[in-house]
Amino acid sequence: MLYRKVPKTGEELSILGFGAMRLPMIDDNNIDEERAIAQIRNCIDNGVNYVDTAWPYHGGQSEGLVGKALKDGYRKKVSIADKLPQYIVESREHMDEILNEQLRRLDVDCIDYYLIHAVEGNSWDRSVELGIKDFLDKALESGKIRYAGFSFHGVPEDFKRIVDDYPWTFCQIQYNFLDTENQAGTAGLKYAASKDLAVMIMEPLRGGNLSAPTPPDGVQDIFNQAETKRAPVEWALRWVWNHPEVTVVLSGMNEEEHIKQNLTIASKAEANSLTEGELAIVDKVAARYKELMQVPCTGCAYCMPCPAGVRIPGCFELFNSTHMFKEKAEYFKFQYAVFFSKEMAGESAYASQCVECGQCEEHCPQHIAIPEQLKRVVGYFEQGDMQAKVDMVANKQEN
């Protein structure tokens, strides 16, 4: 296992972190606890020292499972990452109640890396109004958390101002070779690193899509041009780890063979280890994926802010993903319903909010007919009961 240092503390974290969001299941509602615990402990035995969970994962079951997995001496071997679900917070006092419940679920006295979950501009502003900074200050002073961070799901401009708005130790962003300009993107990665933040990466494989043994048409032909042959999963992970600004890459590993493969890759994926030729190969693969996109959106966000509140780049990102990775369409529909909801983002951001004012088109470098494309997004995603998906993840009931 390779390790990288947290800039502000000097602590060494494994470059591979265990993400407890996609644990093995017995059925649709219940985690296979014996298998999940064995998987987490196997990773720790092989050098992983960062385990990431959150309040809503597996309907509230993930934190308790992680707590069980870290019994028998495993707690002292790892750092726990957990997240405040800002999207359900009702008051400053509610923040304390949630943190105390998380400590109870995990059965620990302290959470090492504590994030404000799924932050973007509106939700951060709302959290500040509710007293999030005082909450973090007090939680740090009391020793209930060791380090403060945030996970991000917004536009680049919001990312930078959130980085600058609190003395964070770390942040978590979505990053892979397709998301260099979406959300925080490469610019955000470098900005956070310039501020000495450790950067934890989520979705390095875009929900597993970039690791498919049989990639979309034309992709494998491009990979075959490389002198060194690698599986798609290794190309994708090594591309992320090639960036020295990256501290930890989270993987939602739930198959023993995938765990073994990821551990092997993490033992040799040094920063700056890919050659210029290999990076060019990945660029070609990314270009091929983008050819399969329905909307030629680069995620530059020049169309933002939308006066009606639509998160335009995010809508197009998910719409494109459903066409690049058709077998994961339901997963992307779920993401659309949840992450663009009022409950998660502070203000809803769905495509159906478009009033066709035309302001976005005036600023789009790609000259996209944005209102017309948003209608396609509405037709695809906004069918059925989206709110049921939101309620399930928000997990508003007390438990």
Side-chain angles (χ1 to χ4, degrees):
M1 178 62 62
L2 299 177
Y3 298 84
R4 296 185 185 179
K5 288 185 178 180
V6 175
K8 289 187 177 181
T9 70
E11 290 192 8
E12 291 193 339
L13 297 178
S14 54
I15 66 170
L16 178 65
F18 192 102
M21 185 176 72
R22 300 184 179 101
L23 298 169
M25 304 292 288
I26 294 175
D27 52 43
D28 290 342
N29 300 311
N30 296 289
I31 299 170
D32 186 338
E33 289 200 358
E34 182 178 355
R35 188 178 173 202
I37 290 171
Q39 289 178 349
I40 293 172
R41 292 183 174 183
N42 176 49
C43 284
I44 297 170
D45 290 339
N46 283 278
V48 170
N49 67 1
Y50 189 89
V51 179
D52 174 275
T53 183
W55 178 274
Y57 292 174
H58 289 286
Q61 297 181 60
S62 176
E63 291 166 324
L65 185 283
V66 168
K68 292 177 181 178
L70 298 184
K71 299 294 185 185
D72 304 324
Y74 280 90
R75 170 67 181 104
K76 64 183 179 181
K77 299 179 181 181
V78 303
S79 288
I80 299 173
D82 204 348
K83 309 175 184 76
L84 177 77
Q86 52 78 19
Y87 37 86
I88 66 169
V89 168
E90 298 173 352
S91 65
R92 167 66 182 82
E93 294 72 25
H94 196 196
M95 299 176 193
D96 290 319
E97 293 170 8
I98 292 172
L99 174 56
N100 289 335
E101 172 61 15
Q102 290 175 306
L103 291 168
R104 187 197 68 78
R105 290 181 182 183
L106 289 162
D107 196 16
V108 298
D109 297 322
C110 173
I111 295 170
D112 303 288
Y113 289 80
Y114 197 65
L115 305 94
I116 311 305
H117 195 190
V119 169
E120 49 78 63
N122 290 328
S123 58
W124 173 246
D125 293 340
R126 174 179 175 274
S127 296
V128 170
E129 290 177 1
L130 289 174
I132 193 72
K133 294 180 183 180
D134 179 69
F135 163 74
L136 291 172
D137 290 344
K138 295 295 195 304
L140 288 164
E141 291 169 7
S142 68
K144 290 184 177 181
I145 67 174
R146 285 207 297 145
Y147 307 119
F150 67 95
S151 66
F152 185 75
H153 287 283
V155 297
E157 292 76 12
D158 286 337
F159 179 75
K160 290 184 178 181
R161 73 179 179 88
I162 294 169
V163 166
D164 292 337
D165 207 18
Y166 189 80
W168 310 104
T169 299
F170 70 112
C171 65
Q172 185 170 307
I173 64 173
Q174 177 169 320
Y175 195 60
N176 54 68
F177 65 69
L178 289 185
D179 288 322
T180 57
E181 297 181 20
N182 291 327
Q183 300 187 26
T186 302
L189 170 67
K190 293 183 179 297
Y191 188 77
S194 75
K195 300 292 184 176
D196 288 332
L197 269 63
V199 184
M200 299 8 178
I201 302 301
M202 57 184 162
E203 301 294 354
L205 304 175
R206 269 215 175 186
N209 296 303
L210 298 181
S211 62
T214 305
D217 292 344
V219 170
Q220 189 59 55
D221 292 337
I222 299 171
F223 279 140
N224 289 341
Q225 296 171 18
E227 183 176 339
T228 301
K229 307 305 178 185
R230 299 185 177 101
V233 61
E234 183 170 359
W235 279 110
L237 289 176
R238 287 185 68 116
W239 183 90
V240 178
W241 277 317
N242 198 62
H243 295 77
E245 301 87 355
V246 168
T247 307
V248 174
V249 171
L250 294 168
S251 178
M253 304 172 279
N254 56 22
E255 295 287 344
E256 285 72 16
E257 187 58 36
H258 295 167
I259 292 172
K260 180 180 179 182
Q261 189 177 36
N262 288 356
L263 288 168
T264 298
I265 299 167
S267 70
K268 55 189 177 183
E270 299 277 2
N272 297 316
S273 60
L274 294 182
T275 67
E276 290 298 320
E278 289 171 330
L279 291 172
I281 290 288
V282 177
D283 286 344
K284 290 179 181 178
V285 167
R288 176 55 188 151
Y289 272 109
K290 289 173 182 177
E291 288 175 0
L292 300 172
M293 293 180 176
Q294 294 292 298
V295 184
C297 174
T298 65
C300 71
Y302 281 102
C303 56
M304 299 294 286
C306 167
V310 180
R311 195 183 300 171
I312 299 169
C315 288
F316 290 154
E317 175 192 349
L318 291 176
F319 188 56
N320 283 328
S321 293
T322 61
H323 290 82
M324 289 188 290
F325 312 107
K326 294 180 180 179
E327 69 280 5
K328 295 290 185 73
E330 289 305 313
Y331 170 73
F332 296 121
K333 289 179 180 179
F334 185 84
Q335 282 198 319
Y336 179 87
V338 171
F339 283 116
F340 294 176
S341 68
K342 180 178 181 180
E343 288 84 344
M344 290 285 276
E347 296 292 339
S348 60
Y350 297 122
S352 56
Q353 296 167 210
C354 174
V355 296
E356 301 187 50
C357 67
Q359 177 178 307
C360 52
E361 286 190 78
E362 295 176 8
H363 299 287
C364 178
Q366 310 303 320
H367 306 292
I368 299 169
I370 293 176
E372 291 304 311
Q373 295 292 354
L374 287 174
K375 291 177 183 177
R376 298 178 66 200
V377 174
V378 173
Y380 189 86
F381 285 115
E382 300 194 31
Q383 307 297 323
D385 189 357
M386 290 199 304
Q387 191 60 41
K389 296 181 175 67
V390 175
D391 290 343
M392 180 177 70
V393 173
N395 194 25
K396 290 184 177 178
Q397 69 273 17
E398 294 296 330
N399 53 25

